[in-house]
Amino acid sequence: MTRRLYIETVGCQMNMLDSELVVASLRQRGYRLVDSPKRADTILFNTCSVRQHAEDKIYSALGRLKHAKRHHPDKVIGVIGCMAQKDQHQIFERAPYVDLVVGPGQLQQIPDLIERVTLGAGRQIEVSLGRKDGTREQISRSHESYDPLRDPTMRPTPFQAYVRIQIGCDKFCTYCIVPMVRGPEQGRPPEDILAEARILVDQGTKEITLLGQTVNSYRYTAHGKTTCLSNLLESLQEIDGLDRIKFVTNYPKDMTDDLLDAVHDLSKVSPYLHVPAQSGSNRILERMKRGYTVEDYRDMMHRIRQRVPEAAVTSDFIVGFCSETENDFKQTIDLVRECRFKNCFIFKYSERPGTKGAERMDDDVPEDVKKRRNNELLAVQNEICEEENLKFLGQTVEVLVEGPSKAARKQASSENVVEQLTGRTPSDHIAVFNGNARLVGRILPVRIYDVTPFTLFGDIVTDHVGPEVYGLELASPP
Ligand code: 5AD
Ligand code: SF4
């Protein structure tokens, strides 16, 4: 019997990749994806714990299923991913009709766990060890992920794919739950990463984004040889058919010159660097235990501008961290003004139980102050986005065509109709232009004629209409 699966994913790219793997493993067992929980007999929530808001959303989605479960007790409801690892049995207490709680390190067990539920074995829970519940070796093993199984249909587009190169994090920033829910930092063996990339390219993937919480800290040592991110990039550059390589998220302290030179020298590596600064105040950075000063960050920006002048740099900031004053916040604004990021993701501090921040510091910045600082910083960054985008006017950029634009998706379209398409430049800028839907998956030159803070608008530069063609015609005798 075909089972019908509905899966909802919140959170980062890691979670999107995890969902792709879960769907692949369930399809192998004959599951079919459906687009509403009503039509499904198995409902999974792949969850995020980074901020309270993300958890609240899941608990309210679960609340909405309470009634459905009463009427259809055979529906299997599962909570998987980071919140499953963080809240464990508490999820059963808050939503007693949940059947399945599975952490990010146990996702490969999901098909068997669902089967056990359907056979009447009752609730199932599988999670990894806590960071103090064993030796590093034991804890690491309990967090291992299973990457080889892929399902191209789950990706945003068939020619773009994520590849995990590292799991976990050892930085323990005081606000962050990730080291607790994703476990110790572990690099994947380079040969596994390259084998996976080759398979993806054989299946039509043109752009690969390497994933890690601190992706540029990637290291793998075997037989006395250590591989770092720049070595991996060099090997990936050699894969025929692969056009673009990106990597997220970077840790400022590990942005080595060697890596920056690789980004500059390797033609397939996008000049796009996401390097969260989190704050512009040394006092706050120290309380966050980020391991660098504002001066270190500035020095890193300087090295990026020198070695990869074409790079687009993006950042994350947290406003309203414990004890943040107006003066601390002003220094964050100064840093944002100075760095001229391509984009910034700005978050209001959200206290996470289990972190040092929650245990030792007071979440003392009122919500309305956090909100105001968030809006103020956003306004500064938006201005920069617009000014920076103006530089693209009249330029021709290479765009990987991803599909219909948001506006076009709302209207029905057919294969041969010209419609509004969207894609990204190597520096990760979003471009919108008119074209035929069959161009999806191609890399094309687009000439930019208008910009907004977040979008470049352009026309595809077509062959055969260049001045030389006119020249030939004019030169030919009457
Ligand atoms: N509160 C608010 N933002 C957070 N982030 C991580 N933890 C928290 C938290 N407790 C932000 C950081 C990180 C991004 C993924 O989420 O800016 O870079
Ligand atoms: Fe969290 Fe810091 Fe690790 Fe990033 S580096 S995942 S913010 S602990």
Side-chain angles (χ1 to χ4, degrees), residues 12 49-51 175-178 249 274 276 278 290 316-318 345 347-352 355:
C12 60
S49 283
V50 154
R51 281 170 291 276
Y175 52 81
C176 187
I177 194 73
V178 169
T249 291
H274 181 58
Q278 311 296 4
R290 282 291 284 174
D316 290 349
F317 285 91
I318 297 176
F345 299 94
F347 307 102
K348 291 179 288 177
Y349 173 58
S350 164
E351 188 176 81
R352 307 286 55 223
T355 61

Side-chain angles (χ1 to χ4, degrees), residues 86-98:
K86 174 175 158 283
D87 287 358
Q88 304 191 0
H89 283 279
Q90 283 175 45
I91 295 175
F92 293 137
E93 282 156 31
R94 284 184 68 172
Y97 42 90
V98 167

Side-chain angles (χ1 to χ4, degrees), residues 371-426:
K371 210 170 183 171
R372 175 181 50 76
R373 290 182 187 165
N374 189 332
N375 290 341
E376 242 176 81
L377 196 55
L378 258 182
V380 171
Q381 179 56 41
N382 284 355
E383 234 176 76
I384 296 169
C385 287
E386 181 144 30
E387 285 165 14
E388 287 295 306
N389 277 357
L390 283 173
K391 294 181 182 163
F392 282 96
L393 281 178
Q395 283 198 28
T396 300
V397 288
E398 295 287 310
V399 177
L400 172 58
V401 188
E402 291 180 10
S405 70
K406 260 193 215 147
R409 253 178 280 152
K410 287 192 189 135
Q411 301 162 355
S413 63
S414 79
E415 262 265 296
N416 288 311
V417 171
V418 170
E419 58 179 326
Q420 202 175 52
L421 300 174
T422 179
R424 276 169 202 264
T425 69

Side-chain angles (χ1 to χ4, degrees), residues 148-422:
L149 267 183
R150 306 291 307 232
D151 190 322
T153 56
M154 275 301 286
R155 290 180 212 140
T157 66
F159 35 82
Q160 293 172 298
Y162 296 123
V163 171
R164 189 177 347 242
I165 69 168
Q166 179 193 57
I167 64 172
C169 181
D170 280 341
K171 304 290 194 248
F172 289 99
C173 302
T174 54
Y175 52 81
C176 187
I177 194 73
V178 169
M180 274 54 87
V181 292
R182 292 266 174 183
E185 181 187 319
Q186 305 179 62
R188 274 180 82 201
E191 53 278 11
D192 291 5
I193 296 167
L194 291 169
E196 191 177 343
R198 285 193 198 100
I199 293 171
L200 286 165
V201 171
D202 286 344
Q203 293 171 348
T205 298
K206 295 194 164 175
E207 177 184 286
I208 281 179
T209 303
L210 306 176
L211 298 185
Q213 304 296 344
T214 55
V215 72
N216 56 336
S217 322
Y218 171 84
R219 283 228 166 329
Y220 187 85
T221 305
H223 317 297
K225 184 173 173 257
T226 298
T227 306
C228 61
L229 180 58
S230 56
N231 306 134
L232 263 188
L233 295 175
E234 281 159 17
S235 307
L236 288 163
Q237 167 84 18
E238 300 303 316
I239 299 181
D240 283 340
L242 179 62
D243 290 320
R244 279 189 185 174
I245 308 159
K246 295 179 178 169
F247 53 91
V248 288
T249 291
N250 292 285
Y251 184 65
K253 268 303 247 200
D254 292 326
M255 199 56 105
T256 57
D257 286 349
D258 171 58
L259 175 61
L260 294 178
D261 289 344
V263 174
H264 180 257
D265 296 343
L266 299 171
S267 61
K268 295 182 181 177
V269 177
S270 291
Y272 163 66
L273 298 168
H274 181 58
V275 208
Q278 311 296 4
S279 172
S281 151
N282 279 335
R283 195 179 69 82
I284 295 294
L285 285 174
E286 197 177 332
R287 299 202 89 199
M288 288 178 163
K289 211 171 140 289
R290 282 291 284 174
Y292 55 85
T293 61
V294 182
E295 291 71 29
D296 294 332
Y297 194 87
R298 281 205 182 97
D299 170 66
M300 177 205 72
M301 281 303 283
H302 183 67
R303 287 186 297 110
I304 293 177
R305 300 292 184 220
Q306 279 200 322
R307 288 174 188 263
V308 202
E310 71 280 24
V313 183
T314 59
S315 195
D316 290 349
F317 285 91
I318 297 176
V319 293
F321 186 64
C322 311
S323 86
E324 187 189 69
T325 62
E326 280 309 313
N327 187 41
D328 293 316
F329 174 62
K330 200 185 144 297
Q331 294 176 46
T332 296
I333 294 214
D334 291 345
L335 184 67
V336 168
R337 281 197 199 284
E338 183 187 321
C339 291
R340 301 196 69 80
F341 298 110
K342 175 216 159 204
N343 194 9
C344 283
F345 299 94
I346 300 162
F347 307 102
K348 291 179 288 177
Y349 173 58
S350 164
E351 188 176 81
R352 307 286 55 223
T355 61
K356 289 273 180 322
E359 280 165 18
R360 298 187 188 164
M361 295 173 216
D362 207 9
D363 179 14
D364 55 359
V365 178
E367 182 58 28
D368 57 333
V369 176
K370 287 180 184 171
K371 210 170 183 171
R372 175 181 50 76
R373 290 182 187 165
N374 189 332
N375 290 341
E376 242 176 81
L377 196 55
L378 258 182
V380 171
Q381 179 56 41
N382 284 355
E383 234 176 76
I384 296 169
C385 287
E386 181 144 30
E387 285 165 14
E388 287 295 306
N389 277 357
L390 283 173
K391 294 181 182 163
F392 282 96
L393 281 178
Q395 283 198 28
T396 300
V397 288
E398 295 287 310
V399 177
L400 172 58
V401 188
E402 291 180 10
S405 70
K406 260 193 215 147
R409 253 178 280 152
K410 287 192 189 135
Q411 301 162 355
S413 63
S414 79
E415 262 265 296
N416 288 311
V417 171
V418 170
E419 58 179 326
Q420 202 175 52
L421 300 174
T422 179

Side-chain angles (χ1 to χ4, degrees), residues 14-79:
M14 239 1 141
N15 270 15
M16 286 166 67
L17 174 57
D18 282 339
S19 288
E20 184 184 326
L21 304 173
V22 168
V23 170
S25 69
L26 286 171
R27 270 197 214 260
Q28 281 194 338
R29 303 268 189 119
Y31 281 74
R32 182 165 68 81
L33 266 185
V34 294
D35 59 6
S36 101
K38 275 204 185 97
R39 283 208 292 278
D41 41 40
T42 302
I43 302 170
L44 298 179
F45 292 99
N46 192 3
T47 59
C48 170
S49 283
V50 154
R51 281 170 291 276
Q52 183 65 42
H53 180 64
E55 296 191 350
D56 292 345
K57 266 174 45 188
I58 296 297
Y59 278 115
S60 22
L62 285 174
R64 287 194 293 274
L65 289 177
K66 186 176 177 175
H67 195 65
K69 180 76 174 181
R70 200 177 300 141
H71 289 277
H72 304 279
D74 292 344
K75 264 190 206 280
V76 176
I77 301 176
V79 176

